[in-house]
Amino acid sequence: MLRLSWSTFRDRWQVFIGAIVTVALGVALVQSSLLTLISAATARVPAGLSSAEAHRVRDGRDGALALLGNTLGLATFVAVFIVSSTFAFTVVQRYRELALLRLVGASRRQVRRLLFGEALLLGLVGSGLGVLAGLPVMRLQVWLLIRLDLLPDGFTSAWRTWVIGASVGAGVLIAVCGVAAASGRAARVRPLAALREAGGDARLMTVSRWLLGVVFLGGGIALLVIVPHVGPDAAIAMALCSCIVLVVAVAAFTPLLLPAASLLPRLFAVGPLGRLAHANLRADTRRGAATAAPIIVLFTFVIGMAGSLGTLGAAARHETASGLRADLVVTANQEMTARLAAVDGVAVVSEETPVAFDLGSVEDGKMTYESSDGLSVSPAEYGRTHRLAPRSGDLADLHGDTVAVLGSHWDVGDVLRTRIAGTPRDLRVVARYPATISGPQFLLPAGLGVERTDSRRYTIQVASGAFAAAVADRLRDAGLGRDGTVDTAAGWVRHEASDRQRVNTNVMVGLLALAMVYTVVAMVNAVVVAASSRGREFATARLSGLTRTQVIRMALWESTALVAVGLFLGGLTASATILSLVGAVQRIVGVTIVSVPWTLIGAVALGSLAVVGMTSVLTALAATRTPPVRLAGTRE
Amino acid sequence: MSTRERFQQTMGDVRTAPAVELRGVSHLYGRRETAVRALDNVDVQFATGSWTAVMGPSGSGKSTLLHCAAGLERVTEGQVIIAGQDISAASDAELTELRRGPVGFVFQSFNLIASLTAAQNVAMPLRLAGRRPGRQEVHGALAAVGLADRARHRPRELSGGQQQRVAVARAMVTRPAVLFADEPTGALDTRAARSLLDLLRSMVDHNGQTIVMVTHDPAAAATADRVLFLRDGRLVDRLERPSARAVADLLASWDA
């Protein structure tokens, strides 16, 4: 059977190109992410760094690890998804050939083995290319992570020979997982189908497809329902997770959704060409579904992730702005409370210093510590420059070995086991606040000797009757601006938000760029494979009086309609994700905030339109090169 | 084999069991209300070593008869017995075994696997049955259809007539008890058709091969030992040792 697999593979490699590129890309990313992940995780923080710098290196590394982990997961998922849609489609195209095998004595198991053999070959070829491509990809990935300030300058990712085994294993696994569903369908092909003109008359919505759709839809809805009830950190991860789960469900149900969704472009189907294209779309749901699937994936991820992160960012900004009762914010690297307070018109100065300490927990009878972020404050002043509503306890008690917690499971009176500057300290919880989106999670009293990780921040209230702008000028005149920056509260909130937004955008670009490359490959692949079997259909259309240009216009119209349908279904899926996150934000901030990335949606829609449109024009041109009379009578 | 011997065999020797037998076979397409009775209580025996042509107008059920007899289509009622085995309730695995052994097929579209050479196509049924085909076996089958020198050619490098011969070699390599042919000359020009029919004739005459063939070409039917006429799913007439003229006349009479 392997020999037959090999000969089909050799003969039909064009059909498999998309899948090979996908596997190679997946393997390259898995390998590069894995190597970088290990190098980053095992890298020591260089000696001789100040604690603030060391903290920043650790923070960045945590971000890099999370991004790499996500990349690993997403790369594998998208690769399996695309390979499986490729195989599903090739099985349909090869209906007659598979039936023929059954006719000359192949058992169901042999047909299944044939496909698995092809997948194995595809996996091996793909992972071979992937191992090679992994080297430049790794360099690119490290460069990107350094650019995004997630890894320190000069970081290198070490090559480990065993990774070849992991890469090839991943490639073969991706291909074999991708073929699993298609092989089941192939095994059900009846021998008599070899004699039929059109083999693809089998039901599109098979039992397994229903099952897959229902299970994933249920899982996705469950995630969406949970999202508003978990903390802000988990919410974004679960939202991304629900994106993936829902996209599988939507892809499974696409054959059902497509006819309904194509009512949308129906409105624009004017003239005979538009109507013919629309009829084609409705008639060949399978081809439509195969082409629409990667578009749906792309739009779901782009809209879902950008929308989620945007919503979270807007919410964080709103939260910071509404929680601040200050007029000015000064950032400085020096302690300057007294100097600030001495300036005319300054009423309250609250010093807030970002700090890091080790939070201990008992695991298997052993104490383990994990670095945590907090804010060191003077309770009285902090209470005056911020709006705070404790669930229980009182911030006024924050002195000595105490701590205030925001949105955690501890309650007033509990004791946190910590290590501060190397010595174990037990901190008693004196106040408990609701969770916030932008942090901090812990408020510590000043004078605890906790390590500072960033510039000191001073939130300042001006005296009643004084003008904030005038006070700001006086602060600058007093030379206080030289050692730091003086900003209005609103301006500071804006800067903070755009800083956070930049980090989010970086992470998103890192992940989405990957999803985009993948889906573009899949889109081109789907269009090429679909067009390869349409020579005869195009020829018939031309024999019925269509010019070559009209055939191409028809193909273009179809692809435009498919992009629209993909945008619609992807947007629908993403909206569900964003809405659940809006629910989460609403619970935390108390305000309904939605951010829709319209520019990004527009750009991605135009980009996909260009890719799909161009590919379908080129493939239609190629398919109509031969005079129609010669093609109309042949079989594919 | 003399004409006389062939005649005896054609008439059906009571001592040899038929290669294929249909007992009260009916086949319905579609659901209850809109069901179409493609075959209606057909009883027929195909004697070992005989060549039977099945004719009839489009929609008469001749292809369905062939498919049911070959185990490609399940019968709604009745029994199909091939080489002494009742296949009406056979499992998919049993039907697969049947296709690997006692049953071979040739169709109008040559149905070769495009990516394999002629020799590989011929070897396919043996390989699928888990056997390692000897060179001699495959080459013998190709030589028998006059294509010994085309073993390494791909289907697209062969003419239609040659492709159909490869298909015959592939069907015959397993030495099937019965060869089912559905319009085997339908896609061939007259010369290629003639030479294919001669090949089938010699397989019957010299090796005692049983052939059941569906055709609507009177010339092809005239090469067979007997012709069965089907109309609306029922056997309506038969001719023994027909001439092309007799077949054509009978067809015309049915059309009238």
Side-chain angles (χ1 to χ4, degrees), chain A residues 7-16 90 93-94 97:
Chain A
S7 68
T8 6
F9 187 74
R10 193 185 48 198
D11 237 46
R12 290 180 164 259
W13 59 274
Q14 299 96 326
V15 176
F16 292 109
T90 54
Q93 289 210 314
R94 291 165 55 193
E97 185 191 313

Side-chain angles (χ1 to χ4, degrees), chain A residues 1 3-4 7-8 10-11 96-97 100-108 110 190-192 194-196 635, chain B residues 67 72-73 92 96 99-100 105 107 109 111-116 120 124-125 127-129 154 156 170 182:
Chain A
M1 238 35 224
R3 210 169 122 172
L4 188 61
S7 68
T8 6
R10 193 185 48 198
D11 237 46
R96 289 191 61 230
E97 185 191 313
L100 176 61
L101 278 174
R102 295 279 284 128
L103 200 59
V104 295
S107 63
R108 287 189 169 154
Q110 283 172 320
R190 295 176 61 219
L192 208 51
L195 307 177
R196 301 251 162 85
R635 290 187 176 206
Chain B
H67 296 158
L72 291 176
E73 193 92 73
D92 186 77
T96 302
R99 290 193 286 274
R100 284 177 182 176
F105 301 98
F107 294 100
S109 52
N111 280 325
L112 299 177
I113 297 169
S115 57
L116 299 181
Q120 285 169 333
M124 185 52 64
R127 286 193 178 280
L128 288 173
R154 299 272 166 104
R156 60 173 166 271
R170 180 182 60 192
D182 194 350

Side-chain angles (χ1 to χ4, degrees), chain A residues 594-614:
Chain A
V594 192
S595 157
V596 183
W598 292 114
T599 345
L600 191 65
I601 294 174
V604 173
L606 285 178
S608 343
L609 199 60
V611 169
V612 176
M614 210 145 70

Side-chain angles (χ1 to χ4, degrees), chain A residues 310-401:
Chain A
T311 299
L312 219 53
R317 183 172 160 178
H318 173 88
E319 180 190 74
T320 317
S322 62
L324 203 60
R325 220 157 37 170
D327 302 298
L328 299 170
V329 176
V330 174
T331 350
N333 282 318
Q334 291 181 347
E335 146 64 46
M336 50 168 69
T337 313
R339 287 162 69 197
L340 288 168
V343 172
D344 190 24
V346 171
V348 184
V349 177
S350 162
E351 183 185 329
E352 300 153 18
T353 317
V355 292
F357 62 100
D358 296 330
L359 185 60
S361 58
V362 179
E363 251 172 53
D364 303 332
K366 257 174 60 188
M367 198 66 166
T368 53
Y369 288 98
E370 196 183 321
S371 178
S372 295
D373 292 304
L375 200 62
S376 170
V377 299
S378 310
E381 285 77 16
Y382 189 81
R384 288 183 67 181
T385 58
H386 293 81
R387 287 190 185 84
L388 291 167
R391 283 242 170 95
S392 53
D394 191 348
L395 194 63
D397 298 331
L398 191 70
H399 46 72
D401 284 0

